Amino acid sequence: MTDLMSDPVEAARVARRRRLDANWLLLVPALALLTVVLLVPLVQSFIRSISTPSWGFDNYVKLFTDGVTLTVLGRTATTALVVTIVAFLLGYPYAYFMTRVGDRTRAILLVVVLIPFWTSVMARNFAWLVILQRGGPVQTALSWIGLGDVQLVGSQIGVTIAMSQVLLPFMVLPLFSSLSAIDRRLLLAARGLGSRPIVAFWKVYWPLSRGGVVAGLILVFTLSLGFYVTPALLGSPQQSLIAQLLAQRTTQLLDFAGAGALGMVVLVVTLLLVAWANRVGGTISAIGVVATSGSGGRR
Amino acid sequence: MSTAPARAPEPALETVAIIAGSRGRRRRDRSVDPIPWWLAVIGVAVAIYFILPTLFVIPMSFGGQGSFQFPPKEFTLELYRNFFTNPKWIGSLLNSLLVAVLAASLATVVGTAAALGLHNLAGRVSRLVRTLLMVSMVTPAIVVAVAVYVSFLQWHLVGSIGGYVLAHAAIGVPFVLVSVTSALGGFDPKLLRASASLGASPLRTFMRVTLPLISRGVLTGAVFAFVTSLDEVVIALFLRSPTFQTLPVQMYTAVTVEVDPTIAASSSLVVVTVTLLLLIPLLARPAKR
């Protein structure tokens, strides 16, 4: 009797375990790819940064005592902050607008975000170079209103304008996914109870949207920290950012250990910020889901 | 904005609106709660900011062989002719396509397998694995590029197709993972048991039952992995060699070194191609929803 009972149970357990093993096996190729392309290079880079020329954290100490690196770090942080603020000021109303319009308009507004999100960063940077160049359309327009001498390309202004445009989807997508989950009837209720619109927004809507806001801010800020192409094309070598410094140390100075240390600092700061944003707003998955969901806010 | 005349809310209507779902609710909102004009102005202005570069690139591509002039003085197909006849441009396009096809295939197979595995697993370890696989999405490209460059130098992968394919596949995996995972969300596991009870092997079940049902997610993921690879420039800048470079790298050189306006033609081609590609998953979704 006990044999008859225990046999199928045992068989089921074995079958379940076998299925479990098969599922883990399915992960092996992806993990192998990740190991070869990301993990091993990053670990090697870290080991190099603490072992060359001698064991210790000299390379890291140098980063924070070397005047040039500190200046570049400061400039990068400032640029990233300005880009993040610009992206937020443009992205929040846009994401909010997306939640308010009809289905068809929303689909168009989403395509407007997704097409640049997916199309060539090179094409867009080239376009900004043409738009902002000396004698280009924007400068001509500025000269009509008496501001002709603003240097846009080769300055932080041009870098900020182009970076904000390139990174804006990373603000809008998590914001949209967070804002579209808010029940607008709460606002109507606040208004019905006699609240002014601005107070209703501040006391009801804003706190509910904070997850998406934090996610968007952190995402744009961290991505700005590692931006390479835009500052290289639209900025000036005298005002280089971390990424350019990193590239220069690697390919021109062949200072692999120093570059590794700088890269590690950028990576750790980025991952800490992303981990924090992930706890607040589910950043990474939000981006992925919205970006691949195609048209419409509804699933 | 003027679809329905403003009227006092009625309880019955409220219920109907909730049952009718978002469409009905929004229509009701509008009457009580109109969109402010300034919001519409900001929305349209930001939309223009989004598409502004694209609007400039296409007219630029019909310009002549001068420099990066806008507006172009003449309208010719000169830049396109140069793109398709100059071995530097057409060669880098073919390299890019080859790398993108191989990288997207690899990312799709590997990412779909991982999504299936993770779908059936639960617990802390599988969450950790999912996060790990997604992490390349937010890791700064330059940090990856620098680390990959030095390691690939040792492994003799710099300048080789294999190097590009591995690197681009790795950054494409998160997109496949996300889209296949969301396709699996609507998948009924009872079908697997039904198939098994009818005597199908796991592989046959996968090919005949699972794959057709998640095919849209797999296709979407493949398109995104393809586009990601086609567009990737930072890692490619480090992996390039005199004999093998991709289109974005050639575009980068055209701006920084050569001042070659052919980049306008190549930008337009990329923008148009990618837009069409992105419409595939969009149009492939069932019309009923």
Side-chain angles (χ1 to χ4, degrees):
Chain A
M1 193 66 187
T2 32
D3 266 342
L4 282 175
M5 281 299 283
S6 69
D7 238 357
V9 171
E10 188 58 32
R13 191 175 295 149
V14 168
R16 194 157 58 236
R17 194 174 303 145
R18 194 175 297 143
R19 200 159 62 231
L20 215 67
D21 288 347
N23 285 321
W24 285 112
L25 276 180
L26 286 171
L27 299 178
V28 170
L31 288 173
L33 181 64
L34 191 81
T35 306
V36 171
V37 178
L38 281 174
L39 289 184
V40 172
L42 287 172
V43 168
Q44 281 190 335
S45 169
F46 174 67
I47 293 174
R48 203 179 304 111
S49 75
I50 57 166
S51 66
T52 317
S54 59
W55 284 92
F57 287 90
D58 291 355
N59 286 312
Y60 293 85
V61 174
K62 229 186 285 172
L63 286 184
F64 294 103
T65 48
D66 170 18
V68 178
T69 315
L70 273 186
T71 312
V72 173
L73 279 170
R75 188 187 295 134
T76 309
T78 314
T79 307
L81 203 62
V82 173
V83 167
T84 309
I85 292 169
V86 171
F88 173 72
L89 293 179
L90 297 176
Y92 196 95
Y94 188 82
Y96 179 64
F97 184 56
M98 281 175 77
T99 65
R100 296 295 310 278
V101 294
D103 280 349
R104 190 166 301 165
T105 318
R106 179 171 335 108
I108 293 169
L109 290 176
L110 193 63
V111 166
V112 164
V113 180
L114 289 179
I115 299 282
F117 179 77
W118 283 109
T119 55
S120 185
V121 165
M122 270 315 299
R124 280 195 280 166
N125 280 304
F126 163 66
W128 280 117
L129 193 66
V130 170
I131 295 169
L132 299 175
Q133 70 186 331
R134 193 160 280 282
V138 171
Q139 251 210 348
T140 312
L142 285 178
S143 71
W144 284 339
I145 53 170
L147 287 169
D149 275 347
V150 185
Q151 196 195 349
L152 298 164
V153 169
S155 73
Q156 292 304 96
I157 304 175
V159 174
T160 306
I161 295 176
M163 271 174 78
S164 305
Q165 194 264 351
V166 173
L167 288 170
L168 200 49
F170 292 94
M171 178 67 76
V172 169
L173 294 177
L175 268 177
F176 172 62
S177 91
S178 147
L179 296 189
S180 53
I182 298 176
D183 189 342
R184 280 197 60 76
R185 283 172 304 175
L186 292 173
L187 268 184
L188 295 180
R191 300 273 296 279
L193 292 170
S195 166
R196 282 185 298 132
I198 184 85
V199 177
F201 173 81
W202 186 245
K203 291 257 168 103
V204 178
Y205 199 85
W206 172 254
L208 288 170
S209 69
R210 214 144 46 189
V213 171
V214 173
L217 290 176
I218 300 282
L219 204 53
V220 171
F221 184 79
T222 50
L223 287 170
S224 320
L225 288 183
F227 240 57
Y228 178 65
V229 174
T230 309
L233 294 185
L234 291 155
S236 73
Q238 287 76 39
Q239 295 193 309
S240 59
L241 302 184
I242 290 180
Q244 289 154 277
L245 194 65
L246 209 47
Q248 189 200 17
R249 291 224 170 128
T250 309
T251 55
Q252 288 169 29
L253 306 177
L254 302 180
D255 175 13
F256 294 165
L262 185 56
M264 280 302 137
V265 171
V266 176
L267 182 66
V268 168
V269 170
T270 303
L271 292 184
L272 286 178
L273 286 170
V274 168
W276 180 43
N278 232 12
R279 287 178 72 154
V280 185
T283 323
I284 305 185
S285 9
I287 274 287
V289 171
V290 187
T292 53
S293 72
S295 82
R298 289 182 299 160
R299 262 167 300 147
Chain B
M1 239 170 247
S2 54
T3 45
R7 60 184 154 202
E10 300 159 22
L13 191 69
E14 181 72 44
T15 320
V16 171
I18 292 168
I19 292 167
S22 59
R23 182 181 288 270
R25 195 163 69 231
R26 195 163 36 254
R27 195 163 289 163
R28 260 182 47 74
D29 280 358
R30 265 190 237 160
S31 55
V32 193
D33 185 23
I35 303 175
W37 64 268
W38 54 265
L39 185 63
V41 170
I42 295 177
V44 171
V46 176
I48 291 171
Y49 182 54
F50 265 120
I51 56 170
L52 193 67
T54 316
L55 293 183
F56 273 78
V57 154
I58 292 170
M60 281 290 292
S61 69
F62 295 106
Q65 284 282 14
S67 58
F68 300 148
Q69 276 280 319
F70 192 91
K73 289 193 177 61
E74 45 176 353
F75 282 84
T76 65
L77 292 174
E78 185 64 15
L79 297 179
Y80 287 95
R81 197 187 59 79
N82 192 38
F83 181 86
F84 285 108
T85 53
N86 186 334
K88 251 189 329 201
W89 284 101
I90 193 73
S92 60
L93 171 68
L94 294 177
N95 288 344
S96 264
L97 290 175
L98 178 64
V99 168
V101 166
L102 294 174
S105 312
L106 183 58
T108 306
V109 171
V110 161
T112 304
L116 284 168
L118 289 173
H119 184 68
N120 298 327
L121 291 167
R124 184 174 288 179
V125 183
S126 81
R127 270 205 305 280
L128 182 73
V129 171
R130 185 181 291 275
T131 309
L132 256 178
L133 292 176
M134 300 292 291
V135 106
S136 68
M137 221 157 162
V138 288
T139 313
I142 186 71
V143 176
V144 180
V146 167
V148 161
Y149 171 67
V150 182
S151 292
F152 278 22
L153 268 181
Q154 294 170 14
W155 305 336
H156 303 291
L157 282 171
V158 169
S160 76
I161 297 181
Y164 286 97
V165 170
L166 285 176
H168 285 185
I171 58 171
V173 165
F175 296 106
V176 178
L177 194 64
V178 165
S179 62
V180 176
T181 301
S182 85
L184 282 169
F187 181 75
D188 187 353
K190 282 199 287 275
L191 291 173
L192 293 182
R193 235 177 302 152
S195 170
S197 74
L198 292 170
S201 68
L203 184 65
R204 196 176 164 83
T205 303
F206 174 75
M207 296 306 284
R208 300 294 285 271
V209 180
T210 315
L211 194 57
L213 284 170
I214 62 167
S215 59
R216 205 150 46 83
V218 175
L219 176 72
T220 309
V223 167
F224 285 133
F226 181 82
V227 170
T228 306
S229 166
L230 205 62
D231 190 28
E232 203 286 322
V233 59
V234 180
I235 299 175
L237 273 174
F238 284 81
L239 294 183
R240 71 174 153 183
S241 73
T243 51
F244 195 95
Q245 63 176 0
T246 58
L247 188 60
V249 172
Q250 172 59 29
M251 288 163 82
Y252 188 85
T253 316
V255 175
T256 52
V257 186
E258 296 167 351
V259 193
D260 179 355
T262 311
I263 184 185
S266 106
S267 294
S268 302
L269 288 172
V270 171
V271 167
V272 171
T273 312
V274 169
T275 306
L276 292 177
L277 269 178
L278 290 177
L279 291 177
I280 293 176
L282 222 69
L283 298 177
R285 65 185 47 227
K288 62 174 192 269
R289 289 178 78 185

